[in-house]
CSV table of all heavy atoms in Angstrom, one decimal:
chain,number,residue,atom,x,y,z
A,339,GLY,N,-4.4,6.1,-5.2
A,339,GLY,CA,-3.4,5.4,-5.9
A,339,GLY,C,-3.9,4.7,-7.2
A,339,GLY,O,-3.1,4.2,-8.0
A,340,GLY,N,-5.2,4.6,-7.4
A,340,GLY,CA,-5.8,4.0,-8.6
A,340,GLY,C,-6.7,2.8,-8.5
A,340,GLY,O,-7.1,2.3,-9.5
A,341,THR,N,-7.0,2.4,-7.2
A,341,THR,CA,-7.9,1.3,-7.1
A,341,THR,C,-9.3,1.7,-7.2
A,341,THR,O,-9.7,2.7,-6.6
A,341,THR,CB,-7.7,0.6,-5.7
A,341,THR,OG1,-6.3,0.2,-5.5
A,341,THR,CG2,-8.6,-0.6,-5.5
A,342,SER,N,-10.1,1.1,-8.0
A,342,SER,CA,-11.5,1.5,-8.2
A,342,SER,C,-12.4,1.1,-7.1
A,342,SER,O,-12.3,0.0,-6.5
A,342,SER,CB,-12.0,0.8,-9.5
A,342,SER,OG,-13.4,1.1,-9.7
A,343,LEU,N,-13.3,2.0,-6.8
A,343,LEU,CA,-14.3,1.8,-5.7
A,343,LEU,C,-15.4,0.8,-6.2
A,343,LEU,O,-16.1,0.3,-5.4
A,343,LEU,CB,-15.0,3.1,-5.3
A,343,LEU,CG,-14.2,4.0,-4.4
A,343,LEU,CD1,-14.8,5.4,-4.3
A,343,LEU,CD2,-14.0,3.4,-3.0
A,344,PHE,N,-15.4,0.6,-7.5
A,344,PHE,CA,-16.4,-0.3,-8.1
A,344,PHE,C,-16.0,-1.7,-8.2
A,344,PHE,O,-16.8,-2.6,-8.7
A,344,PHE,CB,-16.8,0.3,-9.5
A,344,PHE,CG,-17.3,1.7,-9.5
A,344,PHE,CD1,-16.4,2.7,-9.8
A,344,PHE,CD2,-18.5,2.0,-9.1
A,344,PHE,CE1,-16.8,4.0,-9.8
A,344,PHE,CE2,-18.9,3.3,-9.0
A,344,PHE,CZ,-18.1,4.4,-9.4
A,345,GLY,N,-14.8,-2.1,-7.8
A,345,GLY,CA,-14.3,-3.4,-7.8
A,345,GLY,C,-13.7,-3.9,-9.1
A,345,GLY,O,-14.0,-3.4,-10.2
A,346,GLY,N,-12.8,-4.9,-9.0
A,346,GLY,CA,-12.3,-5.5,-10.2
A,346,GLY,C,-11.1,-4.8,-10.8
A,346,GLY,O,-10.5,-5.3,-11.8
A,347,ARG,N,-10.8,-3.5,-10.4
A,347,ARG,CA,-9.7,-2.8,-11.0
A,347,ARG,C,-8.8,-2.2,-10.0
A,347,ARG,O,-9.3,-1.5,-9.1
A,347,ARG,CB,-10.2,-1.7,-12.0
A,347,ARG,CG,-10.2,-2.1,-13.4
A,347,ARG,CD,-10.5,-0.9,-14.4
A,347,ARG,NE,-11.4,0.1,-13.9
A,347,ARG,CZ,-11.0,1.4,-13.9
A,347,ARG,NH1,-9.8,1.8,-14.3
A,347,ARG,NH2,-11.9,2.3,-13.5
A,348,GLY,N,-7.5,-2.3,-10.2
A,348,GLY,CA,-6.5,-1.8,-9.2
A,348,GLY,C,-5.4,-2.7,-9.0
A,348,GLY,O,-5.4,-3.9,-9.3
A,349,GLU,N,-4.3,-2.2,-8.4
A,349,GLU,CA,-3.2,-3.0,-8.1
A,349,GLU,C,-2.7,-2.7,-6.7
A,349,GLU,O,-3.0,-1.6,-6.1
A,349,GLU,CB,-2.0,-2.7,-9.1
A,349,GLU,CG,-2.4,-3.1,-10.5
A,349,GLU,CD,-1.2,-3.0,-11.4
A,349,GLU,OE1,-0.1,-3.2,-11.0
A,349,GLU,OE2,-1.4,-2.8,-12.6
A,350,VAL,N,-1.9,-3.6,-6.1
A,350,VAL,CA,-1.4,-3.4,-4.7
A,350,VAL,C,-0.6,-2.1,-4.6
A,350,VAL,O,-0.6,-1.5,-3.6
A,350,VAL,CB,-0.6,-4.6,-4.3
A,350,VAL,CG1,0.0,-4.4,-2.9
A,350,VAL,CG2,-1.5,-5.9,-4.3
A,351,ARG,N,0.2,-1.8,-5.7
A,351,ARG,CA,1.0,-0.6,-5.6
A,351,ARG,C,0.2,0.7,-5.4
A,351,ARG,O,0.8,1.7,-5.1
A,351,ARG,CB,1.9,-0.5,-6.9
A,351,ARG,CG,1.1,-0.2,-8.1
A,351,ARG,CD,1.9,-0.2,-9.4
A,351,ARG,NE,1.1,0.1,-10.6
A,351,ARG,CZ,1.5,-0.1,-11.8
A,351,ARG,NH1,2.7,-0.6,-12.0
A,351,ARG,NH2,0.7,0.3,-12.8
A,352,SER,N,-1.1,0.6,-5.7
A,352,SER,CA,-2.0,1.7,-5.4
A,352,SER,C,-1.8,2.3,-4.0
A,352,SER,O,-1.9,3.5,-3.8
A,352,SER,CB,-3.4,1.4,-5.7
A,352,SER,OG,-3.6,0.9,-7.0
A,353,ALA,N,-1.7,1.3,-3.1
A,353,ALA,CA,-1.6,1.7,-1.7
A,353,ALA,C,-0.4,2.6,-1.4
A,353,ALA,O,-0.5,3.6,-0.7
A,353,ALA,CB,-1.5,0.4,-0.8
A,354,ILE,N,0.8,2.1,-1.9
A,354,ILE,CA,2.0,2.9,-1.6
A,354,ILE,C,2.0,4.2,-2.4
A,354,ILE,O,2.5,5.2,-1.9
A,354,ILE,CB,3.3,2.0,-1.9
A,354,ILE,CG1,4.5,2.6,-1.3
A,354,ILE,CG2,3.4,1.8,-3.4
A,354,ILE,CD1,5.7,1.7,-1.4
A,355,LEU,N,1.5,4.2,-3.6
A,355,LEU,CA,1.4,5.5,-4.3
A,355,LEU,C,0.5,6.5,-3.7
A,355,LEU,O,0.8,7.7,-3.5
A,355,LEU,CB,1.0,5.2,-5.8
A,355,LEU,CG,2.0,4.4,-6.7
A,355,LEU,CD1,1.3,4.1,-8.0
A,355,LEU,CD2,3.3,5.2,-6.9
A,356,GLY,N,-0.7,6.0,-3.3
A,356,GLY,CA,-1.6,6.9,-2.7
A,356,GLY,C,-1.2,7.4,-1.3
A,356,GLY,O,-1.3,8.6,-0.9
A,357,ALA,N,-0.6,6.5,-0.5
A,357,ALA,CA,0.0,6.8,0.8
A,357,ALA,C,1.1,7.9,0.7
A,357,ALA,O,1.2,8.7,1.5
A,357,ALA,CB,0.4,5.6,1.5
A,358,LEU,N,1.9,7.7,-0.4
A,358,LEU,CA,3.0,8.7,-0.6
A,358,LEU,C,2.4,10.1,-0.9
A,358,LEU,O,2.9,11.1,-0.4
A,358,LEU,CB,3.8,8.2,-1.8
A,358,LEU,CG,5.1,9.0,-2.1
A,358,LEU,CD1,6.0,9.1,-0.9
A,358,LEU,CD2,5.8,8.4,-3.3
A,359,ILE,N,1.3,10.1,-1.7
A,359,ILE,CA,0.7,11.4,-2.0
A,359,ILE,C,0.2,12.1,-0.7
A,359,ILE,O,0.5,13.2,-0.4
A,359,ILE,CB,-0.5,11.3,-3.0
A,359,ILE,CG1,0.1,11.0,-4.4
A,359,ILE,CG2,-1.4,12.5,-3.0
A,359,ILE,CD1,0.5,12.1,-5.1
A,360,ILE,N,-0.6,11.3,0.1
A,360,ILE,CA,-1.1,11.8,1.3
A,360,ILE,C,-0.1,12.2,2.4
A,360,ILE,O,-0.1,13.3,3.0
A,360,ILE,CB,-2.1,10.8,2.0
A,360,ILE,CG1,-3.3,10.6,1.1
A,360,ILE,CG2,-2.5,11.2,3.4
A,360,ILE,CD1,-4.2,9.5,1.5
A,361,SER,N,1.0,11.4,2.5
A,361,SER,CA,2.0,11.6,3.5
A,361,SER,C,2.9,12.8,3.1
A,361,SER,O,3.3,13.6,3.9
A,361,SER,CB,2.9,10.4,3.7
A,361,SER,OG,2.1,9.3,4.2
A,362,MET,N,3.1,13.0,1.8
A,362,MET,CA,3.9,14.1,1.3
A,362,MET,C,3.2,15.4,1.6
A,362,MET,O,3.8,16.4,2.0
A,362,MET,CB,4.2,14.0,-0.2
A,362,MET,CG,5.3,12.9,-0.5
A,362,MET,SD,5.6,12.7,-2.3
A,362,MET,CE,6.3,14.4,-2.7
A,363,ILE,N,1.9,15.4,1.4
A,363,ILE,CA,1.1,16.6,1.6
A,363,ILE,C,1.1,16.9,3.1
A,363,ILE,O,1.3,18.0,3.6
A,363,ILE,CB,-0.4,16.4,1.1
A,363,ILE,CG1,-0.4,16.4,-0.4
A,363,ILE,CG2,-1.3,17.6,1.6
A,363,ILE,CD1,-1.7,16.0,-1.0
A,364,ALA,N,0.8,15.9,4.0
A,364,ALA,CA,0.8,16.1,5.4
A,364,ALA,C,2.1,16.5,5.9
A,364,ALA,O,2.2,17.4,6.8
A,364,ALA,CB,0.3,14.8,6.1
A,365,ASN,N,3.2,15.9,5.4
A,365,ASN,CA,4.6,16.2,5.9
A,365,ASN,C,4.9,17.7,5.5
A,365,ASN,O,5.4,18.4,6.3
A,365,ASN,CB,5.5,15.3,5.2
A,365,ASN,CG,7.0,15.5,5.6
A,365,ASN,OD1,7.6,16.4,5.0
A,365,ASN,ND2,7.5,14.8,6.6
A,366,GLY,N,4.6,18.0,4.2
A,366,GLY,CA,4.9,19.4,3.8
A,366,GLY,C,4.1,20.5,4.5
A,366,GLY,O,4.6,21.5,4.9
Side-chain angles (χ1 to χ4, degrees):
T341 303
S342 175
L343 284 169
F344 303 100
R347 259 193 329 128
E349 297 189 26
V350 177
R351 69 184 181 194
S352 302
I354 195 170
L355 292 173
L358 185 57
I359 289 281
I360 292 174
S361 298
M362 285 179 66
I363 292 173
N365 180 275

